[in-house]
Each structure stands twice: as C-alpha cells, then as structure tokens.
Amino acid sequence: MPGWKTVVFFSIQALMLAFFLNQDPKMAAKPPSSTKPWADGPCALITTPQYATNKTDIFTLGATHMAHIHNAILRGYNSIYQQAPHVTDEDKPEFIGYAQTWFRFVKSHHDDEEQELFPQVEEVVGTSGIWDATHKEHEAFLTGLSNTNDYLAQLAEAFDFDGFELRRIMSTFQEPFAAHFHSEIKTIVSFADLPTAPEPSSVKATQAAAVFKSWGKKTVMKTGSTEGVPFLLLNLDKTYEEGKWAAWPPMPAPVRWGLVNVGGAYHWGRWKFASCDSSGMPRELYALQFPENKK
Ligand SMILES: *[C@@H]1O[C@H](CO)[C@@H](O)[C@H](O)[C@H]1NC(C)=O
C-alpha cells in the first residue's frame, strides 16, 4: 500500500498535470495538421480486422485488440522518429525518457508474447508451429531495436543526444519492424481457418478468448503504471476508424483518468511528446514547433 506521502505527492502532481494539460495551448487537443507530419507515418498504421471485415470470431477479436496495442507502438515509433531532430537541448532529457519508455514497452510486449501468449495460443488452437513466421519476424528487428536503446543509454549527457543519429538507427530496422506489427495481426486472424481451431461458442473457444483477454490486460499492466500504461493511453487515438474504438481499453472513465493523470504525473515531462492528449484526441507533435537541430 502506498503511504500517505505518496498519495499526497501523486494527488498534487495530478492536479498540476491536469491544469497543465488543460491550460497550455501547445498541449491542447488539436487534430493533426495537414501540413506537418504526424504519428501515422513513416510506419503506416494497421487497419483493425474487425473494422475491415465486421467478423466477430475470437481470432478477429483477439487480433483487433492486438492491433490497438500495435498501433500505439507504431504511433510511438513514429512520434519519436518525427520529433527526434527537433528536440531542444532543454527537452532532451525528457525526450530520451519518452523514447526509452517506448523501447521498454516494445521489449516487454515482445518478451511476453514469446514467453506467455504464443505457447498458450498454440495449446488452445491445437496446432504446433503456428508462430514460426512470427518468431522470424521478431528476430529481424530485435537487434536494431536494442541498438536504439543502447544509443540512448550510453549518452554521457542528455545534451549529447543527436536526433539525426537516433533516426539513422531507427531507419536500420524500420521496414522489418513495421512489417511485423502488421503481419502478426493477419497471422492471428488466420488461426480461425485452422482445422484444429476451436468451434464457435465451444468451451475451447471461450478458453481461447480468455487467453487473449487476460494476456492483453496483464501485458500492459506489467509495463508499469508510471511508464508503459500512460505511454499506451497517450498513444491511442480515439478518433481512429471513425471513433469505433473510443472506449478501448474498456474501463470506467475515472479509472482511465487516474491512469493517465495520476500514473502519468510521475514522468509528466515525457508525455508532451505523445501523439494524443489525455482525453485520447490526436494532437500536433510537440517538438515540431521547433526547427531541426542541424549540428
Ligand atoms: C461494418 O458494419 C458497419 C455498421 O453496420 C457498416 O457501416 C460497415 O460498412 C461494415 N463494414 C463492412 C466492411 O462490411
């Protein structure tokens, strides 16, 4: 249980953050401008299977939930890639923190898939080797992903951060990275066609749905209530696909508010680089208001 000092600290921080988020015009909700790049590129976002087909089988639903998480990861990549060269010296420490939060989120997501989700799904689906292609996709970007974090971690001072160098490293694995996050969604959808796939409405189908659901919740919470959780919520665009996912992930509004504002208060300086505001509206990328830092 947190002590009262922690509670008071977080409450004050939360109030300050709420004030800041509401008052600072740079932080105000703003749809992506047509002239500046936003977090929907260079990596294209994923069209969710449910939006594309209206199917409601367990694999379409599981893949759709996964697509929401993957889109937040892609918006994270894009927000870092787009802003990196524009970050001012003053903002560098927080930007490095934001980029490292993204890295840890992706790494944790990957490890959790390999260790927990993939074996469980394989068991409930009843065919082995269904993740073989996915393993290979993972391997194709893991080194580049680690290089990104290594670059950030070895900086003697935040001042030494070079946004063009970060971009260069990210470019080295961008293609297999983006391809994987799209491909895995198609892979999950395709499990519905396996001869061993659970029959709709069967006990096995209920089990399979439960695997995706409990994994999804656990994997996000594991990334940390002051790190991965605010990162995810601030990179979920509630206007995406005509606003069909505005209420995802399902939770009462005050809980969501607390996760963003109280959980987010601890590292509040980082979140100005996120692609969406505290209510989930897309906003202009913060650092793009500054010129590029040509050395
Ligand atoms: C899915 O359903 C919605 C609402 O009924 C409809 O507007 C949309 O066109 C459908 N999409 C497809 C691909 O069938």
Side-chain angles (χ1 to χ4, degrees), residues 50-54 244:
Q50 218 182 329
Y51 183 82
T53 66
N54 279 341
K244 193 172 161 84

Side-chain angles (χ1 to χ4, degrees), residues 30-218:
K30 208 191 290 176
S33 95
S34 53
T35 55
K36 284 183 185 172
W38 190 63
D40 50 357
C43 299
L45 300 177
I46 302 156
T47 302
T48 67
Q50 218 182 329
Y51 183 82
T53 66
N54 279 341
K55 285 189 186 167
T56 55
D57 65 274
I58 50 170
F59 296 104
T60 297
L61 297 188
T64 295
H65 293 171
M66 189 66 96
H68 297 323
I69 299 180
H70 283 193
N71 275 337
I73 288 173
L74 293 172
R75 287 188 196 100
Y77 178 102
N78 292 338
S79 63
I80 296 163
Y81 187 93
Q82 301 288 9
Q83 294 179 90
H86 296 267
V87 175
T88 61
D89 286 343
E90 193 185 317
D91 279 336
K92 282 179 179 178
E94 300 291 13
F95 186 75
I96 293 167
Y98 177 71
Q100 287 194 298
T101 301
W102 169 81
F103 164 78
R104 284 191 285 269
F105 189 94
V106 179
K107 186 73 173 70
S108 165
H109 177 80
H110 161 271
D111 294 351
D112 227 17
E113 281 186 346
E114 292 279 357
Q115 287 155 23
E116 308 253 343
L117 183 72
F118 293 175
Q120 285 175 29
V121 172
E122 197 167 89
E123 192 178 329
V124 81
V125 167
T127 302
S128 59
I130 53 175
W131 298 108
D132 285 356
T134 313
H135 286 306
K136 289 211 182 79
E137 289 166 22
H138 275 166
E139 277 158 27
F141 71 79
L142 277 179
T143 305
L145 181 69
S146 295
N147 291 343
T148 305
N149 189 54
D150 292 347
Y151 169 70
L152 297 168
Q154 59 78 41
L155 293 168
E157 286 180 67
F159 177 78
D160 297 333
F161 170 80
D162 175 354
F164 288 101
E165 175 59 7
L166 182 69
R167 253 195 192 181
R168 188 195 63 75
I169 298 168
M170 293 173 81
S171 305
T172 63
F173 67 93
Q174 182 181 110
E175 204 234 275
F177 180 80
H180 160 68
F181 283 91
H182 284 251
S183 165
E184 186 182 301
I185 304 304
K186 292 199 192 87
T187 301
I188 296 172
V189 170
S190 77
F191 294 161
D193 302 327
L194 290 170
T196 56
E199 295 288 326
S201 316
S202 63
V203 174
K204 275 256 175 211
T206 312
Q207 280 172 356
V211 164
F212 280 109
K213 204 172 168 185
S214 69
W215 181 85
K217 195 167 175 176
K218 218 174 74 191

Side-chain angles (χ1 to χ4, degrees), residues 217-286:
K217 195 167 175 176
K218 218 174 74 191
T219 194
V220 168
M221 292 317 288
K222 212 185 248 185
T223 62
S225 57
T226 63
E227 286 234 359
V229 173
F231 166 82
L232 174 75
L233 293 174
L234 291 166
N235 282 292
L236 286 177
D237 171 2
K238 80 171 179 194
T239 67
Y240 195 59
E241 295 181 341
E242 303 170 84
K244 193 172 161 84
W245 314 112
W248 194 90
M251 63 174 86
V255 172
R256 188 190 166 99
W257 190 93
L259 289 175
V260 174
N261 294 290
V262 183
Y266 196 74
H267 294 301
W268 65 268
R270 289 180 192 174
W271 310 125
K272 61 176 172 280
F273 301 108
S275 59
C276 301
D277 70 12
S278 60
S279 66
M281 292 299 287
R283 64 180 175 196
E284 217 169 80
L285 297 175
Y286 174 81

